[in-house]
Amino acid sequence: MANEPGDLGVLTPYARSLGIELAHWDEGMPVMRVAFDEAVEGRPEHYHGGATGGLLETAGYAALRAELARSGREAMLKPINITVQYLSAGKSRESFARGRITKLGRRSANITVEAWQDDPSRPIATAVMNVLMADSEG
Amino acid sequence: MSDTPRFDPKAATPFLTSRGHSGWLGLKYSSHGEDWVELELPWRTDLLGEEGQHVLASGPILSLMDMASGLAIWKAMDRFEPIATLDLRVDYVRPAREGAAVFGRSQCYRVTRSAAFVRGLAHDGDADDPVAHIQAVFMKIGGKDARGVPNGQ
């Protein structure tokens, strides 16, 4: 990998509980992975839209944390909104997601995220997120 | 097979949330009307969104609203059939209170031949003071679903 991986920090309790983990770094950005098991299943043998959304959201936060760590910034992240587009059904195998910071401001960030299974160029879902960055006190 | 199936969210919810992602979240039936359904997401410390903070992550709220929306659509259509989320937007207007269950209420305001449109809100006890608003579109995907939902036909 060309770039130095950023610092991801600790995953949220929610992400850990759902089984989301860091797969690898790609051009300095974390690629997150979740295995297919009952915790993510919606209709039989398919991902639940909420689980896919949780993976996308976790990858978006991970990308933002990595970017903030690289620029030596510390902030508490608060969700403003997320819009998820479901492109095709998530099948019963592991899924990946990777975020891209479209705009990093002082108080908010705009992040685009893609999730895929076998082929990164054929996403199963994409998301746009706006995240508020509150200065951590102390 | 009856010509006039009646989809009952109260009977279907325990079945649909007995396992899988909804079961993992522990979603429960709360209430419903002609074209809306409300589910409850009980408070759980392993669903928090930031280490050391007692704020529920936004992912479970998205899942809650996705599930409530599906039920609202089946209620509005008065039958169970396979659907898939096409697009879902969640605006998180304030954090949910620590220790509070979150309720997701979704209303299906339009069903066409191939799509269903919903809007809804999440609240932590007072529906007049929501924690999130949502808007979503689902597609009917056809085919049979073998889950055997009560009154799902």
Side-chain angles (χ1 to χ4, degrees):
Chain A
M1 269 173 287
N3 297 3
E4 191 75 22
D7 183 4
L8 193 57
V10 182
L11 279 181
T12 64
Y14 161 71
R16 290 203 306 270
S17 188
L18 192 58
I20 300 173
E21 58 185 12
L22 174 68
H24 57 265
W25 292 87
D26 181 17
E27 296 180 353
M29 277 301 176
V31 175
M32 308 307 292
R33 168 175 58 205
V34 69
F36 186 86
D37 70 12
E38 199 184 321
V40 301
E41 190 173 20
R43 69 190 163 93
E45 302 298 308
H46 290 81
Y47 274 77
H48 190 282
T52 306
L55 173 66
L56 285 160
E57 196 176 52
T58 299
Y61 282 122
L64 181 54
R65 286 211 177 83
E67 187 64 32
L68 288 173
R70 263 196 294 274
S71 47
R73 291 174 61 180
E74 259 189 55
M76 257 184 55
L77 307 183
K78 295 179 176 176
I80 299 173
N81 62 21
I82 183 168
T83 306
V84 182
Q85 311 278 344
Y86 294 92
L87 307 176
S88 61
K91 306 284 176 53
S92 53
R93 50 183 177 269
E94 66 181 351
S95 293
F96 300 89
R98 179 190 191 278
R100 185 169 58 84
I101 313 297
T102 310
K103 148 104 197 245
L104 182 63
R106 200 178 62 80
R107 297 191 61 231
S108 71
N110 180 281
I111 309 161
T112 309
V113 197
E114 293 193 349
W116 69 92
Q117 294 193 309
D118 304 316
D119 182 354
S121 69
R122 291 175 54 217
I124 58 165
T126 66
V128 180
M129 304 165 60
N130 286 290
V131 179
L132 192 66
M133 297 173 291
D135 292 331
S136 26
E137 291 166 25
Chain B
M1 222 197 305
S2 162
D3 286 340
T4 53
R6 298 289 298 175
F7 180 79
D8 178 6
K10 193 174 182 179
T13 301
F15 178 85
L16 289 166
T17 62
S18 63
R19 60 182 305 282
H21 187 64
S22 302
W24 175 77
L25 282 171
L27 298 184
K28 296 193 290 197
Y29 169 84
S30 170
S31 55
H32 77 267
E34 276 306 304
D35 62 354
W36 61 270
V37 173
E38 184 179 274
L39 299 180
E40 177 186 348
L41 169 68
W43 170 262
R44 254 172 61 185
T45 52
D46 68 335
L47 296 182
L48 298 183
E50 186 131 20
E51 198 65 46
Q53 303 287 322
H54 296 282
V55 178
L56 185 70
S58 38
I61 294 179
L62 192 153
S63 297
L64 166 72
M65 299 314 300
D66 186 61
M67 199 65 211
S69 297
L71 284 156
I73 291 164
W74 294 319
K75 180 68 187 83
M77 298 193 301
D78 211 9
R79 68 199 200 93
F80 180 86
E81 69 171 68
I83 55 174
T85 320
L86 183 65
D87 170 292
L88 173 62
R89 175 195 172 103
V90 189
D91 292 323
Y92 303 101
V93 295
R94 70 169 176 83
R97 283 180 294 115
E98 179 183 349
V102 175
F103 298 86
R105 184 182 299 181
S106 201
Q107 180 206 9
C108 176
Y109 63 90
R110 180 78 184 176
V111 181
T112 69
R113 202 151 54 90
S114 51
F117 300 83
V118 300
R119 58 188 162 224
L121 58 86
H123 66 88
D124 53 5
D126 178 3
D128 291 330
D129 182 21
V131 301
H133 291 266
I134 70 117
Q135 181 90 38
V137 183
F138 287 65
M139 297 298 289
K140 299 181 189 173
I141 54 179
K144 291 274 180 206
D145 189 300
R147 273 181 283 180
V149 179
N151 299 319
Q153 311 300 318

